Amino acid sequence: MKNGLLCSIKTDAVFQEALVAHNKLRAMHHVLPLQWNATLAEQAQRTAESVASDPSTFQGEPVGENIAQIWHDLPRAPLKATTIWYSEKKAFSFSYPELNDKVKHFTQMVWKDTTQLGMGAAPSPSGKYVIVVALYRPLGNDIHRIRDNVQRAGPVQDVYATIKEKISKPNGKRHRITTANEGF
């Protein structure tokens, strides 16, 4: 079981699926797509293997690193981890942004200045779970730059177009502006 699981996790398609998911989610937040970085992927794989084989080596996540322990859907663990990290969005306040353990994976995923991603995954010795590691560069999650780097999802609002529309259609109705010479 473990060797077959390891082979299915390490396929390029599994990580490509997670990269595509990252980029679809980032696009919703009006940020450019990430590019795959093979060097980061190698580092992420080493970290995943280390933590999976000996969980006591896990010392927390430094900035620029997301780690997840996946218990279900093991062959697609990188995609599952991506989905879990993004789900932290519900705890994030765009009006009063803060960085904490409840949102740090989400904010790193959608951090505007981050351009590179590498991921690794490794099963536990028992084969019951998979450790997934994502490394991002440049690093995100700088509290001093959070407002500029974590954008609200949804349509981009053009403030001036919105004001013009409200002026030309007060109360949702379009009014015709007439000139002084009209009708004579």
Side-chain angles (χ1 to χ4, degrees), residues 106-120:
F106 160 71
T107 55
Q108 178 59 77
M109 277 184 65
V110 300
W111 196 264
K112 184 171 82 173
D113 288 346
T114 296
T115 60
Q116 304 289 308
L117 171 67
M119 295 181 78

Side-chain angles (χ1 to χ4, degrees), residues 40-131:
L40 289 178
E42 290 170 10
Q43 292 171 359
Q45 186 61 40
R46 284 193 299 273
T47 301
E49 289 171 0
S50 174
V51 173
S53 66
D54 182 6
S56 69
T57 63
F58 178 69
Q59 301 297 316
E61 297 161 301
V63 173
E65 178 178 284
N66 285 355
I67 296 181
Q69 183 179 40
I70 305 300
W71 290 84
H72 304 285
D73 201 10
L74 300 182
R76 298 180 75 199
L79 177 62
K80 181 77 172 174
T82 300
T83 303
I84 290 168
W85 295 328
Y86 187 78
S87 73
E88 293 177 1
K89 174 186 172 210
K90 65 183 175 282
F92 185 75
S93 169
F94 290 91
S95 300
Y96 302 101
E98 294 180 13
L99 287 174
N100 57 51
D101 288 343
K102 294 179 182 177
V103 299
K104 68 182 182 179
H105 304 101
F106 160 71
T107 55
Q108 178 59 77
M109 277 184 65
V110 300
W111 196 264
K112 184 171 82 173
D113 288 346
T114 296
T115 60
Q116 304 289 308
L117 171 67
M119 295 181 78
S124 65
S126 67
K128 292 183 179 178
Y129 63 86
V130 173
I131 297 295

